[in-house]
Amino acid sequence: MASACDRKATIIDGKAIAQTIRSEIADEVGLLSQKYDKVPGLAVVIVGNRKDSQSYVNMKRKACAEVGIKSFDIDLPEQVSQAHLISKVHELNSMPDVHGILVQLPLPKHINEEKVLTEISIEKDVDGFHPLNIGKLAMKGREPLFLPCTPKGCLELLSRSGVSVKGKKAVVVGRSNIVGLPVSLLLLKADATVTVVHSHSPDPESVIREADIIIAAAGQAQMIKGSWIKPGAAVIDVGTNAVDDPTKKSGYRLVGDVHFKEACKVAGWITPVPGGVGPMTVAMLLRNTLDGAKRVIEQ
């Protein structure tokens, strides 16, 4: 991995870190199984047949099997009514063997995402998107039951790479409900000084240049150039963008929101795309499911 960069930056190998976390989880699942004869259970709900959603869901189900978490597969047709989907969620809420419920987003247009997510029991909200979990994340001195997986993975990458957050200037690029907003709240909880840059920020470059830590989650291919990065900064690239590449069999390759080759020469740490944040998101989902199960089983 390291050779891909004419570099001074340390490449943060998300794949390797996620694998370490997965083996830690597998050990803990084994202990639960021995001691209580119970294992964590994750219900993964998918509506319709979007190719990208299906591949994410398969990845999550496979990861469960690898660490010994039981996965409950709920596959619903594209035309399913909102009422039927919500009754499915209620059914999963009441199943004692299900400790986590994940509804794969996006949902079809005719379904109100917020209504569905609010119906998931807060004790089983392993995606961390329930308004109560996000609300507690936003408040000082309150602890959410679950943190959203991708933001949690970003901070885990920093801490396992020896990058301290406390007192640092952090800039988050993007303000989505899934990454930008919650990761900015998490950084704030970790005592960083946080700025959020978004599509209406007049001069993103000058703000980003001040950052000790950059979390790029804008969904804009290679938007952040090497010249925008403060020497020695830690760069976590959440972006996954397909760009045309005739040399590849698929006709495209994946790049982040950061210009990797340029950034390598300036940054102190950087995550590659792919192989950075992606594997961590799944590892954090497994971790959340295990934590939810332990709360119930070890009571």
Side-chain angles (χ1 to χ4, degrees), residues 8 12 29 55 77 82 85-86 91 97 109 161 170 195 202 206 210 242 248 252 283:
K8 62 178 222 91
I12 299 176
V29 171
S55 78
Q82 181 171 299
L85 173 57
I86 287 174
E91 197 181 305
D97 294 350
K109 293 271 187 286
S161 303
T195 308
S206 66
E210 296 281 294
K248 292 270 187 283
Y252 69 88

Side-chain angles (χ1 to χ4, degrees), residues 159-232:
S159 77
R160 291 197 184 225
S161 303
V163 178
S164 71
V165 174
K166 194 174 182 159
K168 298 281 180 66
K169 277 189 184 170
V171 172
V172 177
V173 188
R175 53 173 170 181
S176 73
N177 289 339
I178 293 176
V179 186
L181 179 77
V183 86
S184 67
L185 296 172
L186 258 181
L187 287 161
L188 204 52
K189 252 198 190 350
D191 298 323
T193 301
V194 184
T195 308
V196 179
V197 163
H198 49 78
S199 54
H200 292 269
S201 304
D203 183 12
E205 180 181 343
S206 66
V207 180
I208 293 167
R209 221 183 240 139
E210 296 281 294
D212 304 308
I213 295 167
I214 299 167
I215 312 271
Q220 298 290 322
Q222 300 180 328
M223 159 191 166
I224 297 167
K225 310 295 177 209
S227 61
W228 295 24
I229 296 166
K230 176 179 175 176

Side-chain angles (χ1 to χ4, degrees), residues 98-285:
V98 171
H99 305 102
I101 300 169
L102 177 141
V103 175
Q104 183 65 44
L105 303 177
L107 289 168
K109 293 271 187 286
H110 67 279
I111 294 174
N112 179 329
E113 213 163 84
E114 187 185 356
K115 272 210 168 70
V116 174
L117 296 182
T118 305
E119 293 299 326
I120 295 171
S121 155
I122 185 171
E123 283 86 14
K124 299 188 180 189
D125 172 40
V126 285
D127 246 345
F129 293 150
H130 191 288
L132 278 174
N133 274 324
I134 292 285
K136 285 180 187 231
L137 174 59
M139 293 169 85
K140 206 173 170 183
R142 308 282 168 91
E143 287 306 320
L145 285 173
F146 299 103
L147 297 173
C149 302
T150 303
K152 184 178 180 171
C154 292
L155 269 84
E156 190 77 25
L157 285 174
L158 290 169
S159 77
R160 291 197 184 225
S161 303
V163 178
S164 71
V165 174
K166 194 174 182 159
K168 298 281 180 66
K169 277 189 184 170
V171 172
V172 177
V173 188
R175 53 173 170 181
S176 73
N177 289 339
I178 293 176
V179 186
L181 179 77
V183 86
S184 67
L185 296 172
L186 258 181
L187 287 161
L188 204 52
K189 252 198 190 350
D191 298 323
T193 301
V194 184
T195 308
V196 179
V197 163
H198 49 78
S199 54
H200 292 269
S201 304
D203 183 12
E205 180 181 343
S206 66
V207 180
I208 293 167
R209 221 183 240 139
E210 296 281 294
D212 304 308
I213 295 167
I214 299 167
I215 312 271
Q220 298 290 322
Q222 300 180 328
M223 159 191 166
I224 297 167
K225 310 295 177 209
S227 61
W228 295 24
I229 296 166
K230 176 179 175 176
V235 180
I236 305 290
D237 192 349
V238 187
T240 310
N241 310 289
V243 297
D244 293 336
D245 185 345
T247 68
K248 292 270 187 283
K249 203 166 102 181
S250 59
Y252 69 88
R253 66 192 160 90
L254 293 179
V255 300
D257 289 353
V258 177
H259 195 299
F260 184 75
K261 222 175 159 149
E262 292 179 9
C264 277
K265 297 172 184 164
V266 205
W269 297 264
I270 188 166
T271 59
V273 176
V277 175
M280 290 298 288
T281 298
V282 180
M284 294 299 110
L285 171 66

